[in-house]
Each structure stands twice: as C-alpha cells, then as structure tokens.
Amino acid sequence: MSAESAERTVLPPAGPLDNLVDLFSRTQRSQAKLVGPSGEHISIPPELFEVLRAVVTAMANGQAVTVAPHNQTLTTQEAADLLGVSRPTLVRLLEDGEIPFEQPGRHRRLLLRDLLDYQDRRRHRRREALDELVELSEDADLYENTTTPIS
C-alpha cells in the first residue's frame, strides 16, 4: 500500500472551524471548487464535496477523523475498537462467520469494507427489531396504557 492511501488519523485543530462549517452549509455540491497554491481553480466532484463536508463537521465537533481505503486490513483490536466491542467479542463474531477474515499465520486480519458491511447489517437488524417492537406495542395499545402513572 502506498503512503498516500495509508490510513491516517487527524485530530481537530485547536481553533474553531465555524467559518468552514458555514461555508460548507451554504455551498452547493455542484459549485464546489478548490483553489490550488498557484491560484488555479479545480472543480471537485459532489462525492468529494460530501466527504470534505463530513470531515469538517466532525472536526468542528471535536472528533478526530481517520481516512482509510475500504481495502484497508485491520487487526482484531483495531476492528473491535471501531465496533466498540471487546476483542474477545469480535473474535467470537469472526468465528461465528458474522464477519469474513483471513488468518495467514497466527493472527486474524479483516478488511475494513467487511467490517463496515457487518455494521450496516447490524444497524438494519436493529432497526427492523425496533420497528417490530413499536408495531407490537401499538397493536397491544401499550402506548395508551402508559399515559397514566403506575401506582
């Protein structure tokens, strides 16, 4: 992997980013341009504009930002940290076949894109379960029953 495509985490700057956040909120995606060091104007595609907007918004909220390609290989600890679970929990997910991985030697390695796919599937399953709970509660008139305090 070249140095340009390697993962890199950037902490938010010390100063406020309010001016940039305002600029991104006012600028249309199709109008976005960068100005190079020698003054040349370069139009940027809408997808890149959205990435830059997301980075500026996250940094303005005090969050560090990591940019990594989807084919980035992760250790089990890095993957566990990204999911917000313990490493043993992640290993159990790997062994259960929830997330594909490779084990070229002693250590398991997984791709960022596979981890993000798992995250999307998990989010979708949670949303479906929540929708089902709401529907069951509405069918049983449980919302009506909770309008008065329980004594």
Side-chain angles (χ1 to χ4, degrees), residues 76 80 85-99 101 108 118:
T76 52
V85 299
S86 68
R87 199 184 69 72
T89 298
L90 177 81
V91 169
R92 191 169 34 253
L93 290 170
L94 297 176
E95 296 299 327
D96 290 347
E98 292 285 331
I99 306 168
F101 70 96
R108 297 172 187 89
Y118 168 76

Side-chain angles (χ1 to χ4, degrees), residues 60-119:
N61 290 324
Q63 299 171 331
V65 175
T66 301
V67 177
H70 274 204
N71 63 348
Q72 175 81 29
T73 302
L74 302 173
T75 66
T76 52
Q77 187 61 59
E78 291 169 331
D81 290 345
L82 199 140
L83 289 179
V85 299
S86 68
R87 199 184 69 72
T89 298
L90 177 81
V91 169
R92 191 169 34 253
L93 290 170
L94 297 176
E95 296 299 327
D96 290 347
E98 292 285 331
I99 306 168
F101 70 96
E102 293 181 358
Q103 192 167 0
R106 288 186 53 204
H107 302 286
R108 297 172 187 89
R109 298 286 184 252
L110 46 137
L111 294 174
L112 175 59
R113 75 170 153 252
D114 292 333
L115 195 65
L116 296 175
D117 287 345
Y118 168 76
Q119 224 174 10

Side-chain angles (χ1 to χ4, degrees), residues 8 22 25 29 48 74 80 91 114 117-118 121 131 141:
R8 180 167 179 239
D22 290 342
S25 65
R29 292 171 17 152
L48 180 56
L74 302 173
V91 169
D114 292 333
D117 287 345
Y118 168 76
R121 288 192 313 272
D131 290 345
D141 287 329

Side-chain angles (χ1 to χ4, degrees), residues 133-143:
L133 281 173
V134 167
E135 186 177 327
L136 289 170
S137 297
E138 287 174 346
D139 290 347
D141 287 329
L142 294 178
Y143 286 116

